[in-house]
């Protein structure tokens, strides 16, 4: 007998209520009263051939506030009103089951969470006549509510350790401070139009929503064929032609309801991958790191944040068995976001980042180095000597020839950096790097990637005022910067992902010219422009073209 069901609990004192059953509809809409401040959704019974349950909390205009997904391996979701701060009035919980043999109904069934009365008719949630009356009453409250959100919205997901009132002097070194500038420009908070599948705000903005509801993105009904626009995600190569996209935040500062994708570079195609892997998937987040260990063929996801929640958990995705596991690690590491993570000899080197202090307000940056040993499942802090970087977040770290880690940029409000440090992995000694050539201006949330044995690239980022579009290459042999001009990378963006992959389309040509050589391609995904747009495009540039641009510069 199939006892499968989807249940919900509304409020801390509410009893479980059955929303979907084995013989019923595959869709349901629940009107959640304003008095309910917590919602828990869970499944019970065998899943059988059922794939997943999609859940959305929508406002009275049927715009998504937050989303989630139940799977056979992740059987519970919860929301809290003070966590999802746009949840300010009555909301609708829409639940849809995919897979199995449930009956498809034309309209979702309406169920009231508080059973004070039972509706006589089965109608769509909050019919138009009800919404019209609500809108009239809500119109007078709209501007006051927007003012509240503009000043009270949690800011750790836009500027991890800053406030609107602070200013940002930028400086080249630790002791040289230049003129100040406003951290968030007034022009950055504006109404947004429609972009390429991505309407919203980029990381540094402090507004929770615009005054115009036209900027909202309609609820996604058709299956996505590529990731939605986002920033703060990770894109992690796992083999010569495959990369995994994890996490991110997009329009209306909502965490992406399509948090995991698989990219095949043979034809540059995307595949939704959230339901491919077994085990407990990581909770939605931004500012985390994901790094692949080619020896064990595992992806390690660490840290990040979600609204006012901070993480110091370690999730591992085995790319052979496609199974998630969460590690119960020994040792102490603080919750961190916007840190850097590098792999060296099978261990994770986590440097810097922002942490909640006092919890959950983000006002502290770290200058500590933590190492995670996967074999022992333990965190420890090594003894490090030399001149280490000052506390910072949003910086980059590149491992060169498995001997040195180069750390660039980042910020610790109100200071933005463009200094360079090097960690000698043999001596465990930091040293400031004296560079030559035109250096990038101070920035954080930039993209960075190694493009040769002695060179790495810096692109874009946020300078405390605007998103950047410039590109620089650093040569570790000469400690010199070279700025290169690339039309492909002319779009300002911050919080994006940059990786390098093999380019099969050019392999034959490369092997004809240089037998045994394989051409590589730079891939740039996502990010935002600080003007209201989030990107979902995938830009490619030949690494050979990048290296050739150095000689032309």
């Amino acid at each position: 007998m199939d006892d499968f069901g989807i249940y919900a609990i509304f409020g801390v004192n509410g009893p479980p209520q059955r929303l979907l059953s084995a013989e019923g509809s595959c869709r349901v809409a629940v009107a959640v009263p304003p008095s309910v401040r917590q919602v828990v959704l869970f499944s019970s019974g065998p899943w059988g051939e059922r794939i997943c349950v999609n859940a959305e909390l929508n406002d009275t205009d049927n715009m998504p506030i937050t989303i989630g997904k139940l799977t056979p391996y992740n059987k519970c979701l919860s929301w809290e009103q003070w966590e999802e701060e746009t949840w300010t009035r009555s909301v609708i919980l829409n639940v849809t089951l995919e897979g199995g043999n449930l009956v498809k109904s034309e309209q979702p069934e309406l169920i009231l969470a508080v059973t004070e009365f039972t509706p006589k008719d089965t109608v769509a949630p909050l019919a138009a006549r009800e919404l019209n009356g609500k809108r009239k009453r809500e119109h007078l409250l709209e501007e006051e509510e927007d003012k509240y959100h503009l000043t009270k919205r949690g800011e750790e997901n836009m500027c991890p350790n800053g406030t609107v009132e602070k200013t940002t002097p930028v400086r080249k070194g630790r002791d040289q401070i230049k003129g100040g500038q406003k951290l968030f420009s007034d022009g950055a908070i504006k109404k947004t139009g429609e972009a390429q599948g991505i309407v919203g705000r980029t990381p540094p903005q402090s507004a929770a929503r615009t005054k115009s509801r036209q900027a909202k993105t309609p609820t996604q009904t058709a299956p996505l064929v590529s990731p939605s626009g986002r920033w703060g995600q990770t894109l992690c190569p796992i083999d010569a032609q495959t990369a995994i996209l994890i996490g991110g935040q997009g329009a209306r500062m909502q965490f992406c309801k399509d948090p995991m994708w698989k990219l095949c570079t043979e034809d540059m195609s995307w595949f939704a991958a959230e339901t491919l892997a077994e085990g407990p998937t990581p909770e939605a987040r931004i500012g985390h790191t994901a790094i692949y260990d080619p020896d064990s063929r595992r992806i390690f996801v660490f840290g990040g944040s979600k609204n006012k929640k901070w993480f110091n958990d370690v999730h591992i995705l085995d790319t052979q068995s496609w199974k998630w596991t969460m590690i119960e690690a020994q040792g102490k590491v603080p919750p961190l976001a916007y840190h850097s993570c590098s792999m060296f000899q099978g261990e994770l080197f986590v440097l810097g980042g922002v942490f909640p202090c006092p919890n959950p307000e983000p006002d502290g940056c770290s200058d500590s180095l933590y190492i995670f040993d996967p074999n022992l499942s333990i965190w420890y802090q090594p003894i490090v000597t030399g001149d280490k970087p000052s506390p910072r977040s949003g910086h980059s770290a590149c491992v060169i020839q498995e001997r040195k880690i180069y750390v660039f940029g980042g910020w610790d409000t109100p200071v933005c950096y463009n200094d360079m440090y090097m960690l000698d992995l043999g001596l465990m000694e930091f040293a400031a790097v004296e560079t030559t050539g035109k250096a990038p201006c101070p920035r954080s949330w930039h993209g960075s990637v190694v493009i040769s044995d002695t060179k790495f690239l810096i692109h874009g980022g946020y300078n405390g005022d605007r998103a950047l579009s410039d590109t620089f290459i650093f040569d570790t042999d000469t400690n010199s910067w070279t700025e290169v001009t690339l039309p492909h990378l002319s779009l300002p963006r911050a919080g994006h992902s940059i990786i390098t992959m093999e380019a099969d389309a050019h392999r034959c040509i490369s092997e004809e010219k240089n037998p045994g050589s394989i051409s590589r391609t730079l891939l740039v995904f996502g990010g935002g422009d600080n003007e209201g747009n989030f990107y979902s495009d995938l830009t490619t540039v030949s690494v050979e073209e990048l290296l050739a641009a150095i000689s032309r510069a």
Side-chain angles (χ1 to χ4, degrees):
M1 181 176 179
D2 192 346
D3 293 325
F4 176 81
I6 302 297
Y7 297 81
I9 298 175
F10 301 95
V12 294
N13 297 318
Q17 299 189 31
R18 191 169 203 168
L19 305 185
L20 298 176
S21 61
E23 294 80 19
S25 169
C26 66
R27 295 187 297 166
V28 67
V30 183
V32 182
S35 59
V36 172
R37 294 174 176 264
Q38 306 89 11
V39 176
V40 178
L41 186 71
F42 62 95
S43 70
S44 177
W47 276 70
E49 296 181 357
R50 302 172 183 95
I51 299 173
C52 65
V53 172
N54 296 306
E56 280 192 359
L57 274 178
N58 294 334
D59 63 15
T60 52
D61 289 336
N62 204 32
M63 297 301 173
I65 295 174
T66 186
I67 52 83
K69 180 177 289 188
L70 297 179
T71 70
Y73 313 102
N74 185 27
K75 300 181 179 180
C76 183
L77 293 169
S78 65
W79 298 279
E80 294 180 319
Q81 189 177 81
W82 44 83
E83 178 182 326
E84 310 294 345
E85 294 189 17
T86 53
W87 176 1
T88 56
R89 297 188 296 273
S90 297
V91 297
I92 306 298
L93 174 63
N94 289 300
V95 181
T96 304
L97 177 63
E98 295 183 6
N101 299 314
L102 291 189
V103 178
K104 301 280 186 181
S105 62
E106 292 298 324
Q107 289 187 332
E109 175 184 356
L110 175 66
I111 298 178
L112 294 182
V114 177
T115 56
E116 296 178 346
F117 66 91
T118 302
K120 296 181 179 179
D121 301 320
T122 300
V123 295
L126 289 181
R129 61 181 183 275
E130 300 174 83
L131 284 178
N132 289 336
K134 278 183 172 289
R135 287 181 183 134
K136 289 179 181 178
R137 294 192 299 271
E138 293 164 359
H139 181 73
L140 297 176
L141 300 176
E142 185 72 17
E143 292 188 4
E144 291 301 319
E145 180 188 337
D146 287 335
K147 291 178 181 177
Y148 170 85
H149 283 283
L150 285 170
T151 56
K152 296 296 184 181
R153 176 73 180 180
E155 294 165 348
E156 135 271 341
N157 286 328
M158 295 82 68
C159 164
N161 51 340
T163 60
V164 177
E165 291 76 18
K166 294 183 180 180
T167 58
T168 306
V170 294
R171 66 182 183 182
K172 292 186 177 179
R174 185 174 296 177
D175 303 317
Q176 182 181 358
I177 300 180
K178 293 188 176 181
Q181 62 188 53
K182 197 169 183 181
L183 183 61
F184 301 121
S185 64
D186 294 334
I189 303 174
K190 58 176 68 175
K191 291 193 295 183
T192 58
E194 292 189 2
Q196 183 184 355
I198 14 157
V199 181
R201 294 172 181 76
T202 47
Q205 296 178 211
S206 58
R209 60 171 67 177
T210 60
K211 292 185 179 181
S212 171
R213 288 190 176 268
Q214 296 176 354
K216 295 181 178 179
T217 303
T219 303
Q220 190 75 35
T221 55
L224 294 174
V225 296
S226 62
S228 59
R230 67 191 68 197
W231 82 282
Q233 72 286 336
T234 57
L235 186 60
C236 184
I238 63 172
D239 59 39
Q241 290 87 32
T242 311
I244 303 298
L245 174 67
I246 299 174
Q249 185 185 61
R252 296 181 68 233
M253 303 176 69
Q254 300 304 309
F255 288 85
C256 299
K257 62 181 178 181
D258 54 329
M260 188 172 173
W261 288 81
K262 182 179 179 180
L263 171 65
C264 178
T265 59
E266 289 181 338
D267 56 1
M268 293 300 173
S269 58
W270 290 98
F271 301 92
E274 184 180 5
T275 59
L276 295 181
E278 300 179 0
T281 59
E283 189 172 348
R285 64 191 66 194
I286 58 175
H288 55 288
T289 51
I291 193 163
Y292 179 68
D293 178 17
D295 294 331
S296 63
R297 296 188 181 181
R298 297 184 296 175
I299 295 176
F300 294 84
V301 177
F302 169 71
S305 63
K306 177 189 178 185
N307 296 328
K308 293 184 178 180
K309 297 177 71 173
W310 295 73
F311 302 100
N312 63 349
D313 48 2
V314 178
H315 292 262
I316 298 178
L317 175 61
D318 189 316
T319 61
Q320 292 180 290
S321 64
W322 282 102
K323 183 175 182 179
W324 282 103
T325 55
M326 181 176 174
I327 300 299
E328 296 291 337
Q330 303 296 315
K332 291 184 178 181
V333 63
L336 291 171
Y338 314 104
H339 51 280
S340 64
C341 182
S342 307
M343 177 72 72
F344 175 64
Q345 293 184 350
E347 294 184 318
L348 277 62
F349 284 60
V350 173
L351 175 66
V354 65
F355 58 89
C357 179
N359 188 33
E361 296 299 327
D363 66 352
C365 274
S366 171
D367 63 352
S368 298
L369 176 65
Y370 296 90
I371 297 179
F372 178 70
D373 184 339
N375 294 324
L376 300 177
S377 295
I378 189 171
W379 286 98
Y380 67 94
Q381 284 188 270
I383 298 175
V384 180
T385 61
D387 185 14
K388 68 178 182 179
S390 58
R392 63 191 61 202
S393 63
H395 54 285
S396 60
C398 291
V399 180
I400 297 294
Q401 297 178 341
E402 295 189 357
R403 294 186 294 112
K404 299 175 180 179
I405 298 178
Y406 283 82
V407 179
F408 170 78
W411 77 350
D412 184 9
T413 301
V415 179
C416 198
Y417 299 101
N418 69 340
D419 48 6
M420 178 88 73
Y421 287 84
M422 183 270 293
L423 173 62
D424 188 310
L425 294 170
L427 302 175
M428 292 304 293
E429 180 180 16
F430 271 110
V433 179
E434 296 295 331
T435 67
T436 60
K438 180 184 177 182
C441 67
R443 66 191 64 202
S444 63
W445 298 324
H446 48 276
S448 180
V449 67
V450 175
I451 59 174
S452 76
D453 289 342
T454 61
K455 296 178 179 65
F456 63 86
L457 174 143
I458 297 291
H459 169 68
Y462 176 67
N463 69 355
D465 177 56
R466 67 185 187 280
L468 305 170
S469 62
D470 48 6
T471 303
F472 294 82
I473 294 176
F474 186 76
D475 190 325
T476 59
D477 276 347
T478 60
N479 287 342
S480 61
W481 285 106
T482 303
E483 183 175 12
V484 296
T485 301
L486 297 168
H488 310 75
L489 302 180
S490 60
L491 196 64
R493 64 178 82 209
H496 49 299
S497 300
I498 300 183
I499 61 173
T500 57
M501 303 281 285
E502 289 186 8
D504 283 352
H506 304 286
R507 180 180 297 190
C508 294
I509 298 175
S510 298
E511 288 183 346
E512 288 178 3
K513 295 179 179 179
N514 301 295
S517 67
I518 297 177
S519 177
R520 288 184 301 137
T521 297
L522 187 82
L523 289 86
V524 182
F525 171 80
D529 67 352
N530 196 36
E531 295 295 333
N533 297 317
F534 294 98
Y535 299 119
S536 60
D537 59 332
L538 185 66
T539 303
T540 61
V541 181
S542 168
V543 172
E544 294 175 343
E545 180 182 350
L546 285 170
L547 297 176
I550 300 177
S551 59
R552 298 193 303 265

